[in-house]
Amino acid sequence: LKKTIGAAVVGRHLSSVEQTPSGPAPLYAQTLAREFNVLVPANEMKPKSVHPTAEEWNFAAADAMVAFAEQHGMAVHGHTLFWPQDRHTQEFLLAINDPAALQAQIVAQTRAMVRHFGGRVRVWDAVNEAVGRPGHVRRLLGGATGYEHVALAFRVARDELDKLGHRNVKLLYNDNNIERPSSDPKARVNLVYGMLKDFATRTPRVPVDGVGFQYHIGLGGATGAEWRETAQRLIDLGLTVSVTELDINLGRDEVKSPELLRAQRDKYFGIVQACMQLPACTGVTTWGFTDKHTWLKAFDPDGVGSDGPNPYPAPLLFDESYAKKPAYYGVLRALRLLSTPGPTG
Ligand code: 9MR
Protein backbone atom coordinates (compact mmCIF):
# COMPACT_ATOMS: atom_id res chain seq x y z
CA LEU A 1 0.00 0.00 0.00
CA LYS A 2 1.77 3.12 -1.16
CA LYS A 3 0.19 6.52 -1.75
CA THR A 4 1.72 9.62 -3.21
CA ILE A 5 1.71 13.13 -1.78
CA GLY A 6 2.25 15.75 -4.44
CA ALA A 7 2.35 19.47 -5.08
CA ALA A 8 1.78 21.67 -8.09
CA VAL A 9 4.84 23.75 -8.84
CA VAL A 10 5.50 26.97 -10.73
CA GLY A 11 8.81 26.32 -12.48
CA ARG A 12 10.39 29.70 -12.10
CA HIS A 13 10.16 29.60 -8.30
CA LEU A 14 12.44 26.55 -8.18
CA SER A 15 15.47 28.82 -8.47
CA SER A 16 14.20 31.52 -6.09
CA VAL A 17 16.01 32.31 -2.85
CA GLU A 18 14.40 33.68 0.34
CA GLN A 19 15.92 35.78 3.08
CA THR A 20 15.84 33.85 6.35
CA PRO A 21 17.30 34.69 9.80
CA SER A 22 20.24 32.40 9.01
CA GLY A 23 20.87 33.87 5.55
CA PRO A 24 19.51 33.33 2.04
CA ALA A 25 17.98 29.89 1.36
CA PRO A 26 16.12 28.26 -1.54
CA LEU A 27 13.06 27.58 0.63
CA TYR A 28 10.68 26.86 -2.25
CA ALA A 29 12.84 24.10 -3.77
CA GLN A 30 13.94 22.77 -0.37
CA THR A 31 10.44 22.49 1.06
CA LEU A 32 9.12 20.85 -2.08
CA ALA A 33 11.87 18.24 -2.25
CA ARG A 34 11.69 17.50 1.49
CA GLU A 35 7.93 17.10 1.81
CA PHE A 36 6.52 15.75 -1.45
CA ASN A 37 7.12 12.78 -3.73
CA VAL A 38 5.12 13.95 -6.76
CA LEU A 39 5.61 17.14 -8.76
CA VAL A 40 2.95 18.56 -11.10
CA PRO A 41 3.92 21.49 -13.30
CA ALA A 42 1.14 24.03 -12.66
CA ASN A 43 1.33 25.51 -16.14
CA GLU A 44 4.41 24.35 -18.00
CA MET A 45 2.90 21.21 -19.58
CA LYS A 46 -0.29 22.85 -20.81
CA PRO A 47 -0.79 22.84 -24.56
CA LYS A 48 -0.82 26.65 -24.51
CA SER A 49 2.63 26.65 -22.86
CA VAL A 50 4.19 23.85 -24.87
CA HIS A 51 2.76 24.69 -28.29
CA PRO A 52 1.61 28.33 -28.19
CA THR A 53 1.54 28.88 -31.94
CA ALA A 54 1.50 26.60 -34.97
CA GLU A 55 5.27 27.06 -35.38
CA GLU A 56 6.47 27.00 -31.76
CA TRP A 57 7.21 24.14 -29.39
CA ASN A 58 8.66 25.01 -25.93
CA PHE A 59 9.54 22.02 -23.83
CA ALA A 60 12.42 23.65 -21.94
CA ALA A 61 10.50 24.85 -18.86
CA ALA A 62 8.76 21.51 -18.42
CA ASP A 63 11.98 19.56 -19.01
CA ALA A 64 13.75 21.52 -16.27
CA MET A 65 10.98 20.58 -13.85
CA VAL A 66 11.17 16.92 -14.82
CA ALA A 67 14.93 17.05 -14.19
CA PHE A 68 14.34 18.63 -10.76
CA ALA A 69 11.87 15.90 -9.87
CA GLU A 70 14.26 13.16 -10.97
CA GLN A 71 17.14 14.66 -8.99
CA HIS A 72 14.98 14.63 -5.88
CA GLY A 73 13.38 11.22 -6.29
CA MET A 74 9.96 12.63 -7.11
CA ALA A 75 7.56 11.29 -9.73
CA VAL A 76 6.09 13.66 -12.32
CA HIS A 77 2.34 14.03 -12.83
CA GLY A 78 1.69 15.68 -16.20
CA HIS A 79 -0.95 18.37 -16.59
CA THR A 80 -2.45 18.30 -19.22
CA LEU A 81 -2.63 16.81 -22.73
CA PHE A 82 -6.03 18.20 -23.70
CA TRP A 83 -8.00 21.04 -22.08
CA PRO A 84 -10.94 21.63 -24.40
CA GLN A 85 -12.09 25.03 -23.18
CA ASP A 86 -11.78 27.92 -25.59
CA ARG A 87 -9.80 30.17 -23.29
CA HIS A 88 -7.29 27.39 -22.70
CA THR A 89 -7.02 26.48 -26.38
CA GLN A 90 -4.46 28.05 -28.68
CA GLU A 91 -5.65 30.73 -31.12
CA PHE A 92 -4.34 28.78 -34.11
CA LEU A 93 -6.57 25.83 -33.16
CA LEU A 94 -9.60 28.02 -32.52
CA ALA A 95 -9.17 29.42 -36.02
CA ILE A 96 -9.68 25.98 -37.60
CA ASN A 97 -13.27 25.31 -38.65
CA ASP A 98 -12.90 22.03 -40.45
CA PRO A 99 -13.48 19.11 -38.03
CA ALA A 100 -11.04 16.77 -39.79
CA ALA A 101 -8.29 19.38 -39.81
CA LEU A 102 -8.86 20.26 -36.16
CA GLN A 103 -8.85 16.60 -35.20
CA ALA A 104 -5.58 16.02 -37.06
CA GLN A 105 -3.94 18.91 -35.18
CA ILE A 106 -5.13 17.74 -31.79
CA VAL A 107 -4.07 14.17 -32.46
CA ALA A 108 -0.63 15.33 -33.60
CA GLN A 109 -0.20 17.60 -30.59
CA THR A 110 -1.25 14.89 -28.14
CA ARG A 111 1.11 12.36 -29.68
CA ALA A 112 3.99 14.84 -29.68
CA MET A 113 3.53 15.65 -25.98
CA VAL A 114 3.24 12.01 -24.96
CA ARG A 115 6.29 11.11 -27.06
CA HIS A 116 8.38 13.93 -25.69
CA PHE A 117 7.96 12.95 -22.04
CA GLY A 118 7.60 9.20 -22.56
CA GLY A 119 8.00 7.26 -19.33
CA ARG A 120 9.33 10.29 -17.40
CA VAL A 121 5.75 11.37 -16.74
CA ARG A 122 4.19 8.62 -14.63
CA VAL A 123 0.57 9.78 -14.88
CA TRP A 124 -1.20 12.33 -17.05
CA ASP A 125 -4.27 14.44 -16.56
CA ALA A 126 -4.93 13.32 -20.12
CA VAL A 127 -8.11 15.38 -20.37
CA ASN A 128 -8.87 18.32 -18.10
CA GLU A 129 -12.26 19.93 -17.44
CA ALA A 130 -14.18 18.80 -20.51
CA VAL A 131 -17.56 17.76 -19.14
CA GLY A 132 -20.31 20.31 -19.21
CA ARG A 133 -18.18 22.77 -21.13
CA PRO A 134 -19.34 23.90 -24.55
CA GLY A 135 -16.87 25.53 -26.95
CA HIS A 136 -15.22 25.27 -30.31
CA VAL A 137 -13.42 21.96 -29.95
CA ARG A 138 -16.43 20.21 -28.54
CA ARG A 139 -18.73 21.70 -31.15
CA LEU A 140 -16.53 20.40 -33.95
CA LEU A 141 -15.42 17.08 -32.46
CA GLY A 142 -17.95 16.22 -29.77
CA GLY A 143 -20.01 13.81 -31.81
CA ALA A 144 -23.29 12.22 -30.80
CA THR A 145 -22.67 11.88 -27.05
CA GLY A 146 -20.85 15.20 -26.82
CA TYR A 147 -17.74 13.45 -25.49
CA GLU A 148 -16.15 11.95 -28.58
CA HIS A 149 -13.34 14.49 -28.38
CA VAL A 150 -12.57 13.18 -24.88
CA ALA A 151 -12.62 9.56 -26.03
CA LEU A 152 -10.34 10.44 -28.92
CA ALA A 153 -7.76 12.08 -26.65
CA PHE A 154 -7.60 9.00 -24.41
CA ARG A 155 -7.31 6.58 -27.32
CA VAL A 156 -4.58 8.58 -28.99
CA ALA A 157 -2.55 9.06 -25.79
CA ARG A 158 -2.84 5.34 -24.89
CA ASP A 159 -1.93 4.25 -28.38
CA GLU A 160 1.17 6.44 -28.40
CA LEU A 161 2.26 5.21 -24.95
CA ASP A 162 1.74 1.59 -25.93
CA LYS A 163 3.78 2.07 -29.08
CA LEU A 164 6.58 3.50 -26.98
CA GLY A 165 6.34 0.58 -24.58
CA HIS A 166 5.16 2.74 -21.64
CA ARG A 167 2.24 0.58 -20.57
CA ASN A 168 2.59 1.70 -16.94
CA VAL A 169 1.92 5.37 -17.59
CA LYS A 170 -1.60 6.14 -16.34
CA LEU A 171 -4.21 8.38 -17.92
CA LEU A 172 -6.70 10.32 -15.79
CA TYR A 173 -9.81 12.32 -16.49
CA ASN A 174 -9.44 15.43 -14.28
CA ASP A 175 -12.16 17.87 -13.26
CA ASN A 176 -13.36 20.28 -10.57
CA ASN A 177 -16.57 20.45 -8.57
CA ILE A 178 -17.19 16.73 -8.87
CA GLU A 179 -16.44 15.74 -5.28
CA ARG A 180 -19.86 15.97 -3.67
CA PRO A 181 -22.63 13.51 -4.61
CA SER A 182 -25.75 15.10 -6.09
CA SER A 183 -29.28 13.95 -6.86
CA ASP A 184 -29.44 16.34 -9.81
CA PRO A 185 -28.85 14.29 -12.98
CA LYS A 186 -27.37 17.39 -14.63
CA ALA A 187 -24.80 18.00 -11.87
CA ARG A 188 -21.26 17.66 -13.21
CA VAL A 189 -20.50 14.79 -10.84
CA ASN A 190 -23.25 12.78 -12.53
CA LEU A 191 -22.33 13.84 -16.06
CA VAL A 192 -18.75 12.72 -15.46
CA TYR A 193 -19.97 9.40 -14.06
CA GLY A 194 -22.23 8.90 -17.09
CA MET A 195 -19.41 9.62 -19.52
CA LEU A 196 -16.97 7.29 -17.77
CA LYS A 197 -19.53 4.52 -17.46
CA ASP A 198 -20.19 4.80 -21.17
CA PHE A 199 -16.41 4.73 -21.85
CA ALA A 200 -15.89 1.71 -19.58
CA THR A 201 -18.62 -0.32 -21.27
CA ARG A 202 -17.68 0.29 -24.91
CA THR A 203 -15.91 -2.39 -26.93
CA PRO A 204 -13.07 -1.64 -27.09
CA ARG A 205 -13.35 0.43 -23.94
CA VAL A 206 -12.01 3.98 -23.87
CA PRO A 207 -8.70 3.64 -22.00
CA VAL A 208 -9.27 5.82 -18.94
CA ASP A 209 -7.33 4.57 -15.90
CA GLY A 210 -8.65 6.90 -13.25
CA VAL A 211 -10.35 10.09 -12.19
CA GLY A 212 -8.61 13.16 -10.79
CA PHE A 213 -10.70 15.17 -8.36
CA GLN A 214 -9.29 18.69 -8.30
CA TYR A 215 -10.88 19.52 -4.95
CA HIS A 216 -10.59 23.32 -4.95
CA ILE A 217 -12.89 24.17 -2.06
CA GLY A 218 -13.66 26.46 0.86
CA LEU A 219 -14.41 25.37 4.40
CA GLY A 220 -17.92 24.38 3.32
CA GLY A 221 -16.70 22.14 0.48
CA ALA A 222 -17.26 18.40 0.17
CA THR A 223 -16.17 16.42 3.22
CA GLY A 224 -13.97 13.36 2.92
CA ALA A 225 -16.99 11.16 3.67
CA GLU A 226 -19.05 12.77 0.88
CA TRP A 227 -16.18 12.40 -1.55
CA ARG A 228 -15.70 8.73 -0.64
CA GLU A 229 -19.24 8.07 -1.79
CA THR A 230 -18.59 9.71 -5.17
CA ALA A 231 -15.22 7.99 -5.47
CA GLN A 232 -16.67 4.55 -4.71
CA ARG A 233 -19.08 4.69 -7.66
CA LEU A 234 -16.17 5.37 -9.99
CA ILE A 235 -14.01 2.69 -8.35
CA ASP A 236 -16.86 0.28 -9.03
CA LEU A 237 -16.37 1.02 -12.74
CA GLY A 238 -12.79 -0.25 -12.40
CA LEU A 239 -11.19 3.20 -12.13
CA THR A 240 -8.66 4.58 -9.66
CA VAL A 241 -9.27 7.90 -7.92
CA SER A 242 -6.82 10.67 -7.00
CA VAL A 243 -7.07 14.07 -5.38
CA THR A 244 -5.16 16.20 -7.85
CA GLU A 245 -5.39 19.92 -7.00
CA LEU A 246 -6.43 20.23 -3.38
CA ASP A 247 -6.61 23.63 -1.73
CA ILE A 248 -8.99 24.90 0.94
CA ASN A 249 -9.58 28.64 1.05
CA LEU A 250 -10.68 30.44 4.19
CA GLY A 251 -13.21 32.71 2.52
CA ARG A 252 -12.92 35.94 0.61
CA ASP A 253 -10.52 38.40 2.28
CA GLU A 254 -10.83 36.35 5.45
CA VAL A 255 -8.44 36.87 8.37
CA LYS A 256 -6.32 33.90 9.31
CA SER A 257 -7.78 33.39 12.77
CA PRO A 258 -6.69 30.34 14.82
CA GLU A 259 -10.27 29.01 14.59
CA LEU A 260 -10.27 29.14 10.81
CA LEU A 261 -6.82 27.59 10.59
CA ARG A 262 -8.03 24.71 12.79
CA ALA A 263 -11.14 24.27 10.68
CA GLN A 264 -8.89 24.15 7.63
CA ARG A 265 -6.67 21.55 9.33
CA ASP A 266 -9.67 19.33 10.08
CA LYS A 267 -10.97 19.67 6.54
CA TYR A 268 -7.58 18.65 5.11
CA PHE A 269 -7.45 15.74 7.54
CA GLY A 270 -10.85 14.41 6.51
CA ILE A 271 -10.07 14.49 2.80
CA VAL A 272 -6.63 12.88 3.06
CA GLN A 273 -8.06 10.33 5.50
CA ALA A 274 -10.69 9.37 2.91
CA CYS A 275 -7.93 8.70 0.39
CA MET A 276 -6.01 6.60 2.93
CA GLN A 277 -9.14 4.54 3.51
CA LEU A 278 -9.72 3.79 -0.17
CA PRO A 279 -7.28 1.23 -1.58
CA ALA A 280 -8.07 2.55 -5.10
CA CYS A 281 -7.02 6.09 -4.14
CA THR A 282 -3.52 6.64 -5.52
CA GLY A 283 -2.72 9.79 -3.55
CA VAL A 284 -3.28 13.46 -2.87
CA THR A 285 -1.73 16.48 -4.56
CA THR A 286 -2.15 20.06 -3.36
CA TRP A 287 -2.23 22.94 -5.85
CA GLY A 288 0.91 24.65 -4.63
CA PHE A 289 2.23 24.30 -1.09
CA THR A 290 3.09 27.73 0.27
CA ASP A 291 0.56 30.52 0.77
CA LYS A 292 3.24 32.79 -0.70
CA HIS A 293 2.44 31.38 -4.15
CA THR A 294 -1.14 30.34 -4.78
CA TRP A 295 -3.39 30.98 -7.75
CA LEU A 296 -6.08 31.90 -5.20
CA LYS A 297 -4.34 34.85 -3.64
CA ALA A 298 -4.02 37.38 -6.38
CA PHE A 299 -3.78 37.93 -10.09
CA ASP A 300 -1.34 35.28 -11.21
CA PRO A 301 1.46 36.65 -13.38
CA ASP A 302 2.69 33.12 -14.12
CA GLY A 303 -0.65 32.07 -15.45
CA VAL A 304 -1.46 30.80 -18.90
CA GLY A 305 -4.87 32.19 -19.77
CA SER A 306 -5.11 33.28 -16.15
CA ASP A 307 -8.33 33.14 -14.21
CA GLY A 308 -7.82 36.72 -12.98
CA PRO A 309 -7.85 38.13 -9.45
CA ASN A 310 -8.90 35.73 -6.68
CA PRO A 311 -8.46 37.32 -3.24
CA TYR A 312 -8.62 34.17 -1.13
CA PRO A 313 -5.60 33.97 1.16
CA ALA A 314 -3.97 31.05 2.92
CA PRO A 315 -5.37 27.92 1.23
CA LEU A 316 -2.25 25.72 1.52
CA LEU A 317 -0.12 23.72 3.99
CA PHE A 318 2.78 26.16 4.52
CA ASP A 319 2.45 29.84 5.33
CA GLU A 320 4.10 32.69 3.43
CA SER A 321 7.37 32.11 5.32
CA TYR A 322 7.29 28.36 4.64
CA ALA A 323 6.34 27.51 8.22
CA LYS A 324 4.09 24.48 8.67
CA LYS A 325 0.45 25.45 9.30
CA PRO A 326 -2.09 23.48 11.32
CA ALA A 327 -3.28 22.16 7.92
CA TYR A 328 0.12 20.50 7.45
CA TYR A 329 -0.31 18.57 10.67
CA GLY A 330 -3.82 17.56 9.64
CA VAL A 331 -2.42 16.01 6.47
CA LEU A 332 0.45 14.39 8.35
CA ARG A 333 -1.91 12.80 10.84
CA ALA A 334 -4.00 11.36 8.01
CA LEU A 335 -0.92 10.02 6.18
CA ARG A 336 0.15 8.24 9.35
CA LEU A 337 -3.10 6.27 9.33
CA LEU A 338 -1.61 4.34 6.46
CA SER A 339 1.35 3.04 8.43
CA THR A 340 -0.62 2.48 11.65
CA PRO A 341 -2.16 -1.01 11.84
CA GLY A 342 -5.92 -0.88 12.31
CA PRO A 343 -7.94 -3.15 14.65
CA THR A 344 -7.53 -6.13 12.32
CA GLY A 345 -3.78 -5.66 12.05
O1 9MR B 1 -2.65 27.65 -11.18
C1 9MR B 1 -2.88 27.82 -12.58
C2 9MR B 1 -2.74 29.28 -12.94
O2 9MR B 1 -1.40 29.68 -12.76
C3 9MR B 1 -3.16 29.52 -14.39
O3 9MR B 1 -3.25 30.91 -14.62
C4 9MR B 1 -4.52 28.89 -14.68
C5 9MR B 1 -4.87 28.94 -16.16
O4 9MR B 1 -3.93 28.23 -16.94
O5 9MR B 1 -4.52 27.54 -14.30
C6 9MR B 1 -4.28 27.35 -12.93
O6 9MR B 1 -4.38 25.98 -12.65
C7 9MR B 1 -5.65 25.41 -12.90
C8 9MR B 1 -5.44 24.03 -13.47
O7 9MR B 1 -4.66 24.11 -14.63
C9 9MR B 1 -6.76 23.33 -13.76
N1 9MR B 1 -7.64 23.34 -12.64
C10 9MR B 1 -7.82 24.63 -11.96
C11 9MR B 1 -6.47 25.23 -11.60
C12 9MR B 1 -6.65 26.54 -10.84
O8 9MR B 1 -7.28 27.48 -11.65
Side-chain angles (χ1 to χ4, degrees):
L1 263 211
K2 195 169 169 286
K3 312 257 187 196
T4 58
I5 178 86
V9 170
V10 172
R12 71 175 183 84
H13 300 321
L14 286 175
S15 52
S16 68
V17 172
E18 321 282 330
Q19 292 311 320
T20 73
S22 47
L27 293 184
Y28 187 91
Q30 269 174 3
T31 308
L32 176 71
R34 185 185 73 228
E35 304 282 350
F36 298 93
N37 59 24
V38 165
L39 181 157
V40 188
N43 291 308
E44 295 79 353
M45 287 186 185
K46 289 173 177 170
K48 256 192 163 172
S49 300
V50 167
H51 190 29
T53 69
E55 296 77 34
E56 281 173 280
W57 287 90
N58 304 320
F59 283 115
D63 288 345
M65 298 172 82
V66 172
F68 179 95
E70 289 170 349
Q71 276 155 24
H72 295 92
M74 305 169 81
V76 178
H77 181 129
H79 176 86
T80 174
L81 296 171
F82 186 41
W83 191 353
Q85 289 183 30
D86 285 359
R87 78 192 154 115
H88 299 297
T89 300
Q90 304 96 308
E91 295 296 332
F92 74 93
L93 291 181
L94 294 176
I96 301 175
N97 283 311
D98 168 38
L102 181 63
Q103 175 165 331
Q105 286 281 338
I106 287 171
V107 167
Q109 161 178 308
T110 304
R111 287 192 188 277
M113 289 176 71
V114 166
R115 211 161 41 231
H116 180 85
F117 295 105
R120 298 173 83 193
V121 165
R122 235 51 95 61
V123 50
W124 277 103
D125 295 330
V127 179
N128 187 50
E129 299 170 23
V131 170
R133 277 82 164 191
H136 188 76
V137 179
R138 176 161 171 185
R139 188 161 42 77
L140 292 192
L141 304 182
T145 69
Y147 298 120
E148 292 319 301
H149 59 315
V150 178
L152 173 75
F154 277 100
R155 290 204 194 283
V156 165
R158 187 78 266 160
D159 180 67
E160 192 66 30
L161 286 166
D162 287 352
K163 273 201 226 154
L164 294 164
H166 295 308
R167 295 207 157 62
N168 292 330
V169 174
K170 305 292 185 203
L171 300 176
L172 307 185
Y173 176 75
N174 193 53
D175 212 334
N176 58 35
N177 284 309
I178 56 167
E179 293 82 21
R180 187 172 260 155
S182 168
S183 55
D184 175 1
K186 294 214 167 67
R188 188 177 300 151
V189 56
N190 293 325
L191 297 179
V192 167
Y193 178 80
M195 175 184 79
L196 294 174
K197 186 172 181 192
D198 166 36
F199 285 0
T201 49
R202 290 188 194 186
T203 320
R205 68 176 194 96
V206 179
V208 181
D209 296 302
V211 182
F213 295 79
Q214 292 186 5
Y215 233 126
H216 295 290
I217 57 165
L219 293 172
T223 64
E226 287 174 313
W227 172 64
R228 235 176 26 216
E229 203 181 311
T230 304
Q232 191 58 55
R233 295 179 72 206
L234 291 156
I235 293 167
D236 291 344
L237 294 178
L239 299 166
T240 65
V241 296
S242 315
V243 175
T244 50
E245 303 188 11
L246 181 59
D247 50 26
I248 305 179
N249 75 72
L250 299 180
R252 183 169 277 263
D253 298 321
E254 196 52 81
V255 277
K256 296 172 244 174
S257 69
E259 292 73 28
L260 285 175
L261 290 173
R262 279 198 297 272
Q264 184 183 48
R265 172 195 67 194
D266 296 345
K267 197 92 190 171
Y268 266 106
F269 172 77
I271 294 161
V272 180
Q273 177 191 40
C275 177
M276 296 306 121
Q277 291 168 340
L278 288 170
C281 181
T282 64
V284 175
T285 290
T286 54
W287 203 246
F289 55 97
T290 165
D291 289 339
K292 182 166 186 181
H293 301 297
T294 157
W295 72 287
L296 282 169
K297 201 170 64 177
F299 176 74
D300 173 6
D302 306 311
V304 184
S306 176
D307 291 329
N310 287 303
Y312 297 94
L316 292 166
L317 304 183
F318 294 83
D319 73 12
E320 307 224 346
S321 324
Y322 294 85
K324 295 167 181 174
K325 292 166 60 185
Y328 172 92
Y329 293 100
V331 170
L332 189 64
R333 191 173 139 232
L335 292 176
R336 285 193 173 136
L337 294 173
L338 204 59
S339 41
T340 312
T344 54

